[in-house]
């Protein structure tokens, strides 16, 4: 696990898994999201891109490639976009290498505390406010990205720190996060969503950061920002 990956893993994230058991996911290599069997009723678990219980844990830090610098025309580490603007991003997943996606954060929407009731997180999220980071993924490369998962999206608080994240195994209608479908070739587009938690009603989630490879392995792990 790289230094930057360890730095990311230091931020606790609540994740949701089946059966309400408390577990922690470890660090993973590659952009693979190894998840337990899905259940119709997601339960709580802490973890960053993986599955965990109703207590803060160490998020998993999958990578999307080999840590190579972005090519010409691709977004640079630390680059900031306005919400609605598109970044060209190198992307690989597992054994599928060399893809390119157009990544756009389209909105950061405030939810209601009651939205979290279905996730059965209890006191772990007491006083917190959910925000939904909505983004689109378009395949603009030549590699078929069928069944890939484009995660690594975090919320940002006004002081620039990372908001608490929530990973859901199963369906959460308020914020759907699904793998790319079969036949996700050049020109195909899918929308996705990540959950970020503001610590209180007085603090808002004001932006988002994408930190998949190579951005978590270059320049002290600076990702791409939308504000």
């Amino acid at each position: 696990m790289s230094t930057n990956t360890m730095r990311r893993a230091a931020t606790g994230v609540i994740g949701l898994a089946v059966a309400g058991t408390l577990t922690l996911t470890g660090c993973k290599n590659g952009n693979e999201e190894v998840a337990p069997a899905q259940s119709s009723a997601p339960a709580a678990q802490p973890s960053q891109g993986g599955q965990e219980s109703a207590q803060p844990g160490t998020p998993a830090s999958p990578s999307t490639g080999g840590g190579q610098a972005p090519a010409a025309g691709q977004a640079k580490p630390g680059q900031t976009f306005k919400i609605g603007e598109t970044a060209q991003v190198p992307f690989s997943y597992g054994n599928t290498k060399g893809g390119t996606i157009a990544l756009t954060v389209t909105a950061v929407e405030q939810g209601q505390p009651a939205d979290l009731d279905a996730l059965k997180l209890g006191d772990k999220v007491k006083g917190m406010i959910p925000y939904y980071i909505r983004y689109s993924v378009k395949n603009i490369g030549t590699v078929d990205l069928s069944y890939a998962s484009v995660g690594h999206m975090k919320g940002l608080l006004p002081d620039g720190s990372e908001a608490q994240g929530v990973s859901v195994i199963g369906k959460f209608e308020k914020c759907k996060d699904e793998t790319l479908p079969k036949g996700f070739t050049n020109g195909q587009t899918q929308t996705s969503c990540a959950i970020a938690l503001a610590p209180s009603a007085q603090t808002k989630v004001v932006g988002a950061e994408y930190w998949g490879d190579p951005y978590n392995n270059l320049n002290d792990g600076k990702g791409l920002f939308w504000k």
Side-chain angles (χ1 to χ4, degrees), residues 18-212:
V18 294
T21 56
L22 295 178
T23 59
L24 294 177
T25 56
C27 293
K28 297 189 281 289
N29 292 321
N31 203 21
E32 305 87 299
E33 299 279 340
V34 180
Q38 292 190 2
S39 165
S40 58
Q45 275 187 250
S47 148
Q48 157 41 55
Q51 315 75 27
E52 295 298 319
S53 76
Q55 68 182 39
T58 53
S61 314
S63 80
T64 60
Q68 298 181 355
Q74 294 177 340
K76 302 297 189 294
Q79 191 168 348
T80 299
F81 300 86
K82 293 180 180 180
I83 291 175
E85 290 184 337
T86 298
Q88 182 176 316
V89 175
F91 183 81
S92 300
Y93 182 85
N95 295 324
T96 303
K97 305 297 184 183
T100 306
I101 60 174
L103 185 63
T104 309
V105 173
T106 56
V108 178
E109 299 177 355
Q110 182 176 338
Q112 300 297 322
D115 294 348
L116 300 173
D117 292 348
L119 303 180
K120 305 185 187 305
L121 293 166
D123 289 343
K124 298 300 178 180
V125 294
K126 185 176 181 180
M128 294 183 176
I129 309 297
Y131 282 76
Y132 305 123
I133 302 168
R134 304 197 185 277
Y135 58 101
S136 66
V137 178
K138 182 177 181 179
N139 189 342
I140 57 174
T142 59
V143 176
D144 186 344
L145 299 178
S146 297
Y147 309 121
S149 178
V150 184
H152 305 86
M153 192 67 74
K154 292 177 177 288
L156 297 176
L157 301 177
D159 64 359
S161 62
E162 298 174 357
Q164 181 88 45
V166 179
S167 293
V168 178
I169 301 306
K171 297 289 185 181
F172 181 50
E173 292 301 320
K174 293 285 185 179
C175 191
K176 294 182 178 180
D177 176 20
E178 300 175 325
T179 58
L180 302 178
K182 180 179 180 180
F184 199 81
T185 54
N186 183 275
Q188 298 297 308
T189 301
Q190 177 171 289
T191 58
S192 193
C193 180
I195 306 172
L197 300 179
S200 69
Q202 288 71 46
T203 303
K204 298 181 180 297
V205 175
V206 296
E209 178 188 3
Y210 174 76
W211 58 280

